[in-house]
Coordinates of all heavy atoms in Angstrom, one line a residue:
A34 N 54.6 17.9 18.7 CA 54.5 18.2 20.0 C 55.8 18.9 20.6 O 55.8 19.9 21.3 CB 54.0 17.1 20.8
R35 N 56.9 18.2 20.2 CA 58.2 18.8 20.7 C 58.4 20.1 20.0 O 59.0 21.0 20.7 CB 59.3 17.8 20.3 CG 60.6 18.3 20.7 CD 61.8 17.3 20.4 NE 63.0 17.9 20.9 CZ 63.5 17.8 22.1 NH1 62.8 17.3 23.0 NH2 64.7 18.4 22.3
N36 N 58.0 20.3 18.8 CA 58.3 21.6 18.1 C 57.6 22.7 18.7 O 58.0 23.9 18.5 CB 58.0 21.5 16.6 CG 59.0 20.5 15.9 OD1 60.1 20.3 16.3 ND2 58.5 20.0 14.7
I37 N 56.4 22.5 19.4 CA 55.7 23.6 19.8 C 55.8 23.8 21.4 O 55.1 24.6 22.0 CB 54.2 23.5 19.5 CG1 53.6 22.3 20.2 CG2 54.0 23.5 18.0 CD1 52.1 22.2 20.0
L38 N 56.8 23.1 21.9 CA 57.1 23.3 23.4 C 57.5 24.7 23.6 O 58.3 25.3 22.9 CB 58.1 22.3 23.9 CG 57.6 20.9 24.0 CD1 58.8 20.0 24.4 CD2 56.4 20.7 24.9
V39 N 57.2 25.3 24.8 CA 57.6 26.6 25.2 C 58.1 26.5 26.6 O 57.5 25.8 27.5 CB 56.5 27.6 25.2 CG1 57.0 29.0 25.7 CG2 56.0 27.8 23.7
Q40 N 59.3 27.0 26.9 CA 59.9 26.9 28.2 C 59.3 28.0 29.1 O 59.2 29.2 28.8 CB 61.4 27.1 28.2 CG 62.2 26.8 29.4 CD 63.6 26.6 29.3 OE1 64.1 26.9 28.1 NE2 64.4 26.3 30.3
T41 N 58.9 27.6 30.3 CA 58.3 28.5 31.3 C 59.2 28.9 32.4 O 60.3 28.3 32.6 CB 57.1 27.8 31.9 OG1 57.6 26.7 32.7 CG2 56.1 27.3 30.9
P42 N 58.9 30.0 33.1 CA 59.8 30.4 34.2 C 59.9 29.4 35.2 O 59.0 28.5 35.4 CB 59.1 31.7 34.7 CG 58.3 32.2 33.6 CD 57.9 30.9 32.8
E43 N 60.9 29.4 36.0 CA 61.2 28.4 37.0 C 60.1 28.3 38.1 O 59.8 27.2 38.5 CB 62.5 28.7 37.7 CG 63.0 27.6 38.7 CD 63.4 26.3 38.1 OE1 63.7 26.3 36.9 OE2 63.2 25.3 38.8
S44 N 59.5 29.4 38.4 CA 58.5 29.5 39.4 C 57.3 28.8 39.0 O 56.4 28.5 39.8 CB 58.2 30.9 39.8 OG 57.7 31.6 38.7
E45 N 57.1 28.4 37.7 CA 55.9 27.8 37.2 C 56.1 26.3 36.9 O 55.3 25.7 36.4 CB 55.4 28.4 35.9 CG 54.8 29.8 36.1 CD 53.6 29.8 37.0 OE1 52.8 28.9 36.8 OE2 53.5 30.7 37.8
S46 N 57.2 25.8 37.3 CA 57.6 24.4 37.0 C 56.8 23.5 38.0 O 56.4 23.9 39.1 CB 59.1 24.1 37.2 OG 59.4 24.4 38.6
P47 N 56.6 22.2 37.6 CA 55.9 21.3 38.4 C 56.6 21.1 39.8 O 56.0 20.9 40.8 CB 55.8 20.0 37.6 CG 56.1 20.4 36.3 CD 56.9 21.6 36.3
Q48 N 58.0 21.1 39.7 CA 58.7 20.9 41.0 C 58.5 22.0 41.9 O 58.2 21.7 43.2 CB 60.2 20.8 40.6 CG 60.6 19.5 39.8 CD 60.4 19.8 38.3 OE1 59.8 20.8 37.9 NE2 60.7 18.8 37.5
S49 N 58.5 23.2 41.5 CA 58.3 24.4 42.4 C 56.8 24.3 42.9 O 56.6 24.7 44.1 CB 58.6 25.7 41.7 OG 57.7 25.9 40.7
R50 N 55.9 23.9 42.1 CA 54.5 23.8 42.6 C 54.4 22.8 43.6 O 53.7 23.0 44.6 CB 53.6 23.5 41.4 CG 53.3 24.8 40.5 CD 52.5 24.4 39.4 NE 52.2 25.6 38.6 CZ 51.0 26.2 38.5 NH1 50.0 25.7 39.1 NH2 50.9 27.3 37.7
R51 N 55.0 21.6 43.4 CA 54.9 20.6 44.4 C 55.6 21.0 45.7 O 55.2 20.7 46.8 CB 55.5 19.3 43.9 CG 54.8 18.7 42.7 CD 55.3 17.2 42.4 NE 54.7 16.7 41.2 CZ 55.2 16.8 40.0 NH1 56.4 17.3 39.8 NH2 54.6 16.3 39.0
A52 N 56.7 21.7 45.5 CA 57.4 22.1 46.8 C 56.6 23.1 47.6 O 56.7 23.1 48.8 CB 58.8 22.8 46.3
S53 N 55.9 23.9 46.9 CA 55.0 24.9 47.6 C 53.7 24.3 48.1 O 52.9 24.9 48.7 CB 54.7 26.1 46.7 OG 54.0 25.7 45.5
G54 N 53.4 23.0 47.7 CA 52.2 22.4 48.1 C 51.0 22.7 47.3 O 49.9 22.3 47.6
S55 N 51.2 23.4 46.2 CA 50.0 23.8 45.4 C 49.7 22.8 44.3 O 48.7 22.9 43.7 CB 50.2 25.2 44.7 OG 51.4 25.2 43.9
G56 N 50.6 21.9 43.9 CA 50.4 21.0 42.8 C 49.6 19.8 43.3 O 49.9 19.2 44.4
V57 N 48.7 19.3 42.5 CA 47.9 18.2 42.9 C 47.9 17.1 41.8 O 47.2 16.1 42.0 CB 46.4 18.6 43.2 CG1 46.4 19.5 44.4 CG2 45.8 19.4 42.0
S58 N 48.5 17.4 40.6 CA 48.5 16.4 39.6 C 49.8 16.4 38.8 O 50.6 17.3 39.0 CB 47.3 16.8 38.6 OG 47.6 18.0 38.0
D59 N 50.0 15.4 38.0 CA 51.2 15.3 37.2 C 51.3 16.4 36.2 O 52.3 16.8 35.8 CB 51.3 13.9 36.5 CG 51.5 12.8 37.6 OD1 52.1 13.2 38.7 OD2 51.1 11.7 37.3
Y60 N 50.1 16.8 35.7 CA 50.1 17.9 34.6 C 49.4 19.1 35.2 O 48.3 19.0 35.7 CB 49.3 17.4 33.4 CG 49.9 16.3 32.7 CD1 49.4 15.0 32.8 CD2 51.1 16.4 31.9 CE1 50.0 13.9 32.2 CE2 51.7 15.4 31.4 CZ 51.2 14.1 31.5 OH 51.8 13.0 30.8
D61 N 50.2 20.2 35.3 CA 49.7 21.4 35.9 C 49.3 22.4 34.8 O 50.1 22.9 34.0 CB 50.7 22.1 36.8 CG 51.1 21.2 37.9 OD1 50.2 20.7 38.5 OD2 52.3 21.1 38.3
Y62 N 48.0 22.7 34.7 CA 47.5 23.6 33.7 C 47.9 25.1 34.2 O 47.7 25.4 35.4 CB 46.0 23.6 33.5 CG 45.6 22.3 32.7 CD1 45.3 21.2 33.4 CD2 45.7 22.4 31.3 CE1 44.9 20.1 32.6 CE2 45.4 21.3 30.6 CZ 45.0 20.1 31.2 OH 44.7 19.0 30.5
L63 N 48.4 25.9 33.2 CA 48.6 27.3 33.5 C 47.4 28.0 33.8 O 46.4 27.8 33.3 CB 49.3 27.9 32.3 CG 50.7 27.4 31.9 CD1 51.2 28.1 30.7 CD2 51.7 27.7 33.1
D64 N 47.5 29.0 34.8 CA 46.3 29.8 35.1 C 46.1 30.6 33.9 O 46.9 31.2 33.3 CB 46.7 30.7 36.3 CG 46.9 29.9 37.6 OD1 46.3 28.8 37.6 OD2 47.6 30.4 38.5
L65 N 44.7 30.8 33.6 CA 44.4 31.5 32.4 C 44.7 33.0 32.5 O 44.9 33.7 31.5 CB 42.8 31.4 32.2 CG 42.4 30.0 31.8 CD1 40.9 30.0 31.6 CD2 43.1 29.5 30.6
D66 N 44.9 33.5 33.8 CA 45.2 35.0 33.9 C 46.7 35.1 33.8 O 47.2 36.3 33.8 CB 44.7 35.5 35.2 CG 45.4 34.7 36.4 OD1 45.9 33.7 36.2 OD2 45.3 35.3 37.6
K67 N 47.5 34.0 33.6 CA 48.9 34.2 33.5 C 49.4 33.7 32.1 O 50.5 33.7 31.8 CB 49.7 33.3 34.5 CG 49.5 33.8 35.9 CD 50.3 33.0 36.9 CE 50.1 33.5 38.3 NZ 51.0 32.7 39.3
M68 N 48.4 33.4 31.3 CA 48.8 32.9 29.9 C 47.9 33.5 28.9 O 46.7 33.3 29.0 CB 48.6 31.4 29.9 CG 49.0 30.7 28.5 SD 50.7 30.9 28.2 CE 50.8 30.1 26.6
S69 N 48.4 34.2 27.9 CA 47.6 34.8 26.9 C 47.5 33.7 25.8 O 48.4 33.4 25.0 CB 48.3 36.0 26.3 OG 47.6 36.5 25.2
L70 N 46.3 33.1 25.8 CA 46.0 32.0 24.8 C 45.5 32.6 23.5 O 44.8 33.5 23.5 CB 45.0 31.0 25.3 CG 45.4 30.4 26.7 CD1 44.3 29.4 27.1 CD2 46.7 29.6 26.5
Y71 N 46.0 32.0 22.4 CA 45.7 32.6 21.1 C 44.2 32.3 20.7 O 43.7 31.2 21.0 CB 46.6 31.9 20.0 CG 46.3 32.5 18.7 CD1 46.8 33.7 18.3 CD2 45.4 31.8 17.8 CE1 46.5 34.3 17.0 CE2 45.1 32.3 16.6 CZ 45.6 33.6 16.2 OH 45.3 34.1 15.0
S72 N 43.6 33.3 20.1 CA 42.3 33.1 19.5 C 42.3 33.9 18.2 O 43.2 34.6 17.9 CB 41.2 33.6 20.4 OG 41.2 35.0 20.5
E73 N 41.3 33.7 17.4 CA 41.3 34.4 16.1 C 41.2 35.9 16.2 O 41.5 36.6 15.2 CB 40.0 33.9 15.3 CG 40.1 32.5 14.8 CD 41.3 32.3 13.8 OE1 41.6 33.2 13.1 OE2 41.9 31.2 13.8
A74 N 40.9 36.4 17.4 CA 40.9 37.9 17.6 C 42.1 38.4 18.1 O 42.3 39.6 18.3 CB 39.7 38.2 18.5
D75 N 43.1 37.5 18.5 CA 44.4 38.0 19.1 C 45.2 38.6 17.9 O 45.0 38.5 16.8 CB 45.2 36.8 19.6 CG 44.5 36.4 21.0 OD1 43.8 37.2 21.6 OD2 44.8 35.2 21.4
S76 N 46.3 39.3 18.4 CA 47.2 40.0 17.5 C 48.2 39.1 16.8 O 49.0 39.6 16.0 CB 47.9 41.1 18.2 OG 48.7 40.6 19.3
G77 N 48.3 37.8 17.2 CA 49.2 36.9 16.6 C 50.3 36.6 17.5 O 51.3 36.0 17.0
Y78 N 50.3 37.0 18.7 CA 51.4 36.8 19.6 C 50.9 36.2 20.9 O 49.8 36.7 21.4 CB 52.2 38.1 19.9 CG 53.0 38.6 18.8 CD1 52.4 39.4 17.8 CD2 54.4 38.1 18.6 CE1 53.2 39.9 16.7 CE2 55.0 38.6 17.5 CZ 54.5 39.4 16.6 OH 55.2 39.9 15.5
G79 N 51.6 35.3 21.5 CA 51.2 34.7 22.8 C 52.4 34.9 23.7 O 53.5 34.7 23.4
S80 N 52.1 35.3 25.0 CA 53.2 35.5 25.9 C 52.7 35.2 27.3 O 51.5 35.1 27.6 CB 53.7 37.0 25.9 OG 52.6 37.8 26.3
Y81 N 53.7 35.0 28.2 CA 53.4 34.8 29.6 C 53.3 36.1 30.3 O 54.4 36.7 30.6 CB 54.4 33.9 30.2 CG 54.4 32.5 29.7 CD1 55.2 32.1 28.7 CD2 53.5 31.6 30.3 CE1 55.1 30.8 28.1 CE2 53.4 30.3 29.7 CZ 54.2 29.9 28.7 OH 54.2 28.6 28.2
G82 N 52.1 36.7 30.6 CA 52.0 37.9 31.3 C 52.5 37.8 32.7 O 52.2 36.8 33.4
G83 N 53.2 38.8 33.2 CA 53.7 38.7 34.6 C 55.1 38.2 34.7 O 55.6 38.3 35.8
F84 N 55.7 37.8 33.7 CA 57.2 37.4 33.7 C 57.9 38.2 32.7 O 57.8 38.0 31.5 CB 57.3 35.9 33.4 CG 56.5 35.0 34.3 CD1 55.3 34.4 33.9 CD2 56.9 34.8 35.6 CE1 54.6 33.6 34.7 CE2 56.2 34.0 36.4 CZ 55.0 33.4 36.0
A85 N 58.7 39.1 33.2 CA 59.4 40.0 32.3 C 60.5 39.3 31.6 O 60.9 39.7 30.5 CB 60.0 41.2 33.1
S86 N 61.0 38.2 32.1 CA 62.1 37.5 31.5 C 61.6 36.6 30.4 O 62.5 36.1 29.7 CB 62.8 36.7 32.5 OG 62.0 35.7 33.1

Side-chain angles (χ1 to χ4, degrees):
R35 179 178 178 81
N36 289 339
I37 64 174
L38 289 177
V39 177
Q40 191 168 1
T41 65
E43 183 68 25
S44 60
E45 291 296 318
S46 65
Q48 293 84 355
S49 64
R50 285 177 177 248
R51 293 192 186 95
S53 63
S55 61
V57 294
S58 64
D59 291 336
Y60 296 106
D61 297 317
Y62 284 98
L63 293 177
D64 296 334
L65 292 180
D66 60 347
K67 294 183 179 180
M68 180 66 181
S69 174
L70 300 181
Y71 181 80
S72 69
E73 288 298 327
D75 287 338
S76 60
Y78 291 86
S80 64
Y81 293 93
F84 303 103
S86 60

